[in-house]
Amino acid sequence: MDKRATHIQQWIDAYSDTLLDSALFLLSDKQDAEDIVQNVFISAFESYSSFKGRSSVKTWLMAILKNKVAEFYRKKYRHIDNIPLDRYFDQEGSWKHDDILQDWNEKDENLLDNNDFNKVMAECIDKLPLKWLIPVKLYYLEEKKADKVCQETGITATNLWKILQRGRMQLRECLEFNWFNIL
């Protein structure tokens, strides 16, 4: 085995789990995450000579992963059909279900420390329409700036803010039904 193949195999052994965890967090689909990680190592193999060691191997591989995820989102986001919004919004663009949304109590302010709540929140996030899921994850979970989210998804800033607002409202509705109403 040549030097390049030996190093790549060592990197696969050392960093596969870390890369897969990150990809799974970003994509919420195990098969897609595994495919992305495989593509990371293929890219690392193909561009091995460009790695000069100025950063750690893990940092370099994570940068490749982030680029692959961004590419995945760009491709997937551009091929999504329009989402029917009439379930959530009336013709004027106002939220239909004001009667469903309740005020959450101040006692609930430490919910992110609750594993059961986090599980319900993750399930609610995964129920978002894909056209909303991608920007919501990039903006809120990856904490990317709005201009970067717009660049990666190919949407305008105005569209991003509408998507984020609608995503928040759907998340709130989901949490109302699946967490707060069962307490």
Side-chain angles (χ1 to χ4, degrees):
M1 205 181 313
D2 70 355
K3 181 180 174 182
R4 175 173 62 168
T6 301
H7 281 148
I8 295 296
Q9 185 58 54
Q10 290 170 347
W11 297 349
I12 290 170
D13 294 341
Y15 302 112
S16 288
D17 291 340
T18 302
L19 292 171
L20 185 59
D21 288 345
S22 294
L24 192 53
F25 173 76
L26 294 169
L27 301 171
S28 298
D29 180 271
K30 187 172 183 179
Q31 184 64 48
D32 288 338
E34 289 171 348
D35 291 346
I36 291 288
V37 170
Q38 183 177 19
N39 288 335
V40 166
F41 288 115
I42 291 169
S43 291
F45 183 80
E46 291 172 348
S47 59
Y48 179 81
S49 62
S50 71
F51 179 66
K52 303 297 182 198
R54 292 186 206 120
S55 63
S56 71
V57 171
K58 181 179 176 183
T59 300
W60 186 59
L61 293 173
M62 289 299 280
I64 295 172
L65 174 74
K66 288 186 178 194
N67 289 330
K68 293 293 181 187
V69 169
E71 180 182 308
F72 172 86
Y73 280 146
R74 277 192 300 275
K75 286 179 183 173
K76 197 159 196 159
Y77 190 80
R78 287 190 179 116
H79 295 94
I80 298 172
D81 294 330
N82 287 334
I83 298 167
L85 300 179
D86 56 348
R87 175 177 172 211
Y88 303 107
F89 302 96
D90 62 23
Q91 291 179 340
E92 289 78 40
S94 298
W95 181 250
K96 280 184 170 180
H97 301 292
D98 287 335
D99 57 318
I100 296 171
L101 303 177
Q102 304 168 1
D103 290 329
W104 297 354
N105 298 325
E106 289 182 18
K107 68 179 176 65
D108 298 323
E109 63 188 41
N110 295 321
L111 283 174
L112 293 178
D113 296 330
N114 182 318
N115 288 335
D116 292 331
F117 174 79
N118 286 325
K119 182 179 178 198
V120 171
M121 174 65 109
E123 290 169 359
C124 287
I125 289 171
D126 288 340
K127 288 179 184 177
L128 287 173
L130 186 59
K131 196 165 193 167
W132 297 355
L133 175 69
I134 294 166
V136 165
K137 280 192 170 188
L138 290 174
Y139 188 78
Y140 291 114
L141 302 180
E142 269 293 293
E143 298 180 349
K144 292 190 177 196
K145 301 281 187 205
D147 60 334
K148 186 74 171 163
V149 175
C150 291
Q151 178 186 357
E152 289 184 16
T153 59
I155 60 176
T156 65
T158 302
N159 195 9
L160 173 64
W161 298 122
K162 287 180 183 178
I163 288 170
L164 293 176
Q165 177 191 20
R166 291 171 179 172
R168 286 190 307 268
M169 296 304 288
Q170 185 173 334
L171 285 173
R172 181 173 174 148
E173 179 185 24
C174 181
L175 289 171
E176 287 284 345
F177 282 128
N178 296 296
W179 180 259
F180 294 103
N181 285 338
I182 61 172
L183 296 178

